[in-house]
Structures are given as C-alpha cells and as structure tokens.
Amino acid sequence: MNSTAPVIRILKVSLYRAELRTRMPFRYGIAVMRDLPHVFIQLDAEIEGKAARGIAADHLPPKWFIKDPDRDLAAEIADMARVIRHAAQIAEGMEIADPFSFWQQLYNAQGAWGAAEGLPPLLTHFGTSLIERALIDAFCRHRGKPFHDLLRGDAFGINLEEIHPELRGTQPRDWLPPRPAPVVYCRHTIGLSDPLEDADIVAEDILRDGLPQSLIACIRHYGLSQFKIKFTSDRTQSLPRLQAITDVLLRGTGGNFAASLDGNESFYDVGQFRDFWNEARALSELAPLFKRLLFVEQPLHRSVALGGEVRSVLPGWVDRPPIIIDESDAEAGSLRRALECGYAGTSHKNCKGVFRGVANACRLAQLRRAGGVGLMSAEDLTTIGPVSLLQDLAVQAALGNESVERNGHHYFRGLSFWLEVIQHQMLEHHGDLYGRTPEGVTALRVEKGRINLDTINAAPFGVSPLPDLGAFASL
C-alpha cells in the first residue's frame, strides 16, 4: 500500500439497469444475442476529503462468462447481477490508500466469496471490474486529469510486482507508450451468421435504419480494413464460410486488409485444432487470409486451454499461428500460465479488469523488449456508449493497442435507445466520436476504418459528462 497516496472512502454504490435489443442477431460461439440488460454503476466516494462520483457500465452478455449450453439465459443474467451486487456490498464503507490497493482488497474479498459459492473467476471478477472502473472514473474526475496521465504519473499506486514478479522495481511508464494512441483501427467483427452480401439478407430481415447490415456494406460505409472473423470447429461449415469471407474481403478492400480469427472455445482438444488448422492452411482459397492473419483468439475451450496436454503439445507445434487467450484470462496468474503453455499473449477488455490489464500489457512489453513474443489484442463484448465504450477505448489507447475490435455500433442502432439528453451530451462533448446520420441516429463515427480518440484522451476516464442515471431502474 502506498502510504503517501490519498485516503479514499467509498460512501455508496448505486446500480441501475436498462433493457436493450440488438438491431440484428449476433451469433458468437454457442449464443445468439438479440436482447440483453445493460448495467450502470454509480460510485460515490470521499477522496482527499472531497466528494467524488464515478460511473461505469457494461452489458450482461449471455454465454460468455459461463459457456454452458444447457444453462438458462435468465439464470446466467441473474448470476451476473449477483456478482455485481456482491462486489458493490464489499466496496461500500471501504477505506483505502489508493485505487490499486482498493482493487487488490476488492479482488481478494470477491474472489474468496466466489470460490466459496462455486462461481468461476471470470464471472466473479466481472463484478470486481465494474466497481474498479467506477472508482477509477471518480479518481480521475477528482484529480481533473485523464486516465493516461495518472497512469504514467503512478497516481493509482499500481504495484506491478504484485501481479507479475518479473516487473519488480518498475512502473507502468517504464513499459507503456509515452502518449495514448490518438486513433485506433476499428477491427470489425464478422459473426457466425452475419450476412456477407446484400443479397444474403432475406426481405423480411432487411433493416432500413440508415446503418449498413452486410459485410460488404460495412466495408464501404466505414472504410474498413481490419476484421475479426468468428469460426467454429465444424469444418463443413467453417471452411466454406471462411472462403466466402476471404473473397468478400479481397473484393471489398482491394486486398488491403488484416484479420484475426476467433474460435470462441469451440475446440476441446489441441490436436483437433491443429488438424483443423492444417486442413485450412492447405486450401489455396484461404491463402490470402493467412497471409494477412494477425492472430488466433481462444480456439480451445477454457476447460482445456491451460491444461497439461496443451502445455506439452503447443510449444512443439513449430509452425503454429500466434494464439492468444481470452476467456481463459480469468485470474491474475492466467497470463503467466498461458505463456508457459506456448501462447503468444492475451486480450484486454475492461470487463476482465483494468489494473490487471495494465500489468499484463507491461509484462508483454517486457517480453518484446527482450526479443520475445508478447501479443496483447484489444477485444470487445459489443460495448456501446455513453460509458462502457469510451472507458474501454481510454484504456486501449493508454496501453497502445491500436487495432481494437469494435462491434457494438454494428449490432446496436447507435445510441438511439438512450434518452435524447444523453445523446446530446455525446454529440456535444464527443463530437469526434459520435455524429448524426441523415436518419437522425446518433452513431459512432468510423471513418477510413478508424476511430478518433481526441476527446476520449482528454476526458477524465474517457467520458466527459456524467450521465444522469435517475431515469433508469435499479438493478
């Protein structure tokens, strides 16, 4: 604990919930998302004797934190709400020296409770991450400085050694970029059932909401050049679809593209994935895709991904693609185990924890500096504004992740479901990030395949205004 840091006292944590519906179905892994809850966290604290308020937000996405095909969706959502409420209960009344010490104390207490309840760590610490983000926001607002400034100035009290002993005696500024990324490439998600051509959309499913729907339309509308392609272990479906996607990408971008592949835990055996990969690599139609491959994300199910078989097989697979973990990155030690297994790195998304992501980024930078492999990708759980998307981008920019999967603006109709006052705040304070379409939709600006982060990097924790949450129902 940093004894010179300000004393922080958590006064109250308020939880709110809204119900959202997608503009088109999003099929990822074993789930098809059509509607889901969105939660807001409002944290009131006393920092250095002054009142401070912070916010955070996220979806409650089904079949991601727990990939059980037989489990009821309502039960999964109830579990997500439960871990958030419990983390909020732990936080209220806590007195701590600095934000990192707060995260440590909350992480340990929430983790012990989750283990006793038989909950998986990825789900348990979803609650931890939301409260962590709300305190970071309150701290940034209190200090009147953006996240990246406080991160490089060691204002959060981050002790990297606590997560990665290899980083002893160093601070985030020793490993992270000197300035946040001013723009990021929008790596567009291609879901398992997304239409590739306009002709693939049946008449009754055609949307007339001013936003593109098919892959080819998205490429033209947003000027996309980077993509994330979902695939499964079913060769009879995945291989023909990968060929069709490659053809569209070549035609749509003129061959100027890069792509990552996401297996969404669909393989239960590393040998099974290697056989799939070798068969795919033998197809000449997929050669242009593999030539432009960034990495492969979590092809193996979390139950086997960090197991002994992978540890014995993966390092000896000499021509394997760069493979990272995502869902398996559930605890502070997950990246260490993944690297020992032969993985190239991990992903960052705020729902897995901000300070843990910072430490992981520093460790991977240390590996790269030593001439090794250390890959951190930036991934998405269909994050949207007015809070979650902006805070995630603020962290990605500070970590130097310049290719960021974004898909919330594709599967949701901009900010059209929020109150007009919230939409107006985004247009007024984040006009480089949001704009009005001719149809009047407040939508994310993606121009030439990129997202501008000027106002995000200037805001306290990505978000300039504090939205009024009084109109939302309690969680």
Side-chain angles (χ1 to χ4, degrees), residues 370-392:
V373 177
L375 175 62
M376 172 169 273
S377 73
E379 306 304 322
D380 190 7
L381 273 177
T382 63
T383 55
I384 59 171
V387 177
S388 179
L389 170 72
L390 283 70
Q391 290 184 344
D392 186 80

Side-chain angles (χ1 to χ4, degrees), residues 153-433:
D154 196 32
F156 296 119
I158 297 175
N159 186 344
L160 296 174
E161 181 184 351
E162 293 287 335
I163 300 176
H164 293 294
E166 301 87 349
L167 298 173
R168 177 178 303 162
T170 69
Q171 296 178 353
R173 65 171 173 265
D174 297 321
W175 306 108
L176 300 181
R179 289 170 296 279
V183 297
V184 294
Y185 281 94
C186 174
R187 188 153 37 87
H188 177 84
T189 301
I190 307 171
L192 292 172
S193 59
D194 285 7
L196 305 184
E197 309 267 9
D198 291 343
D200 296 334
I201 310 171
V202 297
E204 57 266 29
D205 291 337
I206 295 176
L207 301 174
R208 294 178 173 83
D209 59 3
L211 298 175
Q213 190 172 354
S214 69
L215 173 59
I216 192 69
C218 288
I219 293 173
R220 293 165 179 163
H221 184 88
Y222 297 121
L224 300 170
S225 62
Q226 300 207 4
F227 305 87
K228 170 173 172 171
I229 306 170
K230 301 278 187 178
F231 72 100
T232 73
S233 59
D234 186 339
R235 304 179 186 193
T236 60
Q237 292 186 359
S238 286
L239 295 180
R241 181 165 173 82
L242 287 174
Q243 293 176 54
I245 290 172
T246 301
D247 178 66
V248 172
L249 296 184
L250 287 170
R251 287 189 285 110
T253 69
N256 181 27
F257 74 91
S260 64
L261 295 173
D262 182 7
N264 270 121
E265 302 184 85
S266 60
F267 296 83
Y268 284 80
D269 178 83
V270 65
Q272 178 195 20
F273 173 62
R274 183 167 59 182
D275 291 344
F276 174 94
W277 190 256
N278 289 337
E279 182 177 345
R281 286 298 304 266
L283 296 173
S284 60
E285 296 87 349
L286 294 181
L289 175 62
F290 291 121
K291 182 180 178 181
R292 298 163 175 83
L293 179 69
L294 297 170
F295 55 85
V296 180
E297 177 189 345
Q298 190 84 38
L300 297 171
H301 192 270
R302 68 190 75 177
S303 63
V304 300
L306 300 179
E309 182 185 5
V310 175
R311 188 183 297 243
S312 64
V313 172
L314 204 58
W317 181 6
V318 293
D319 59 346
R320 69 186 184 277
I323 308 173
I324 67 167
I325 59 169
D326 181 36
E327 291 92 339
S328 288
D329 188 7
E331 301 176 272
S334 297
L335 174 60
R336 180 177 299 106
R337 294 194 296 273
L339 294 172
E340 291 171 353
C341 287
Y343 288 95
T346 187
S347 66
H348 175 77
K349 52 185 66 164
N350 277 359
C351 69
K352 296 194 297 183
V354 174
F355 291 142
R356 193 161 68 82
V358 168
N360 285 346
C362 292
R363 174 62 180 137
L364 293 168
Q366 184 185 48
L367 291 174
R368 292 193 301 273
R369 195 172 295 178
V373 177
L375 175 62
M376 172 169 273
S377 73
E379 306 304 322
D380 190 7
L381 273 177
T382 63
T383 55
I384 59 171
V387 177
S388 179
L389 170 72
L390 283 70
Q391 290 184 344
D392 186 80
L393 285 171
V395 176
Q396 305 290 8
L399 300 185
N401 295 329
E402 297 183 352
S403 174
V404 183
E405 180 205 4
R406 296 292 85 165
N407 59 36
H409 64 281
H410 180 52
Y411 295 106
F412 292 90
R413 188 170 181 255
L415 302 180
S416 59
F417 29 74
W418 300 130
L419 296 172
E420 183 62 34
V421 64
I422 291 178
Q423 297 184 49
H424 180 72
Q425 282 180 329
M426 288 295 102
L427 293 170
E428 180 182 1
H429 295 273
H430 294 284
D432 59 338
L433 192 69

Side-chain angles (χ1 to χ4, degrees), residues 422-450:
I422 291 178
Q423 297 184 49
H424 180 72
Q425 282 180 329
M426 288 295 102
L427 293 170
E428 180 182 1
H429 295 273
H430 294 284
D432 59 338
L433 192 69
Y434 285 99
R436 292 274 198 190
T437 70
E439 292 76 13
V441 179
T442 303
L444 187 70
R445 290 184 184 272
V446 181
E447 299 171 344
K448 296 182 179 179
R450 298 183 296 179

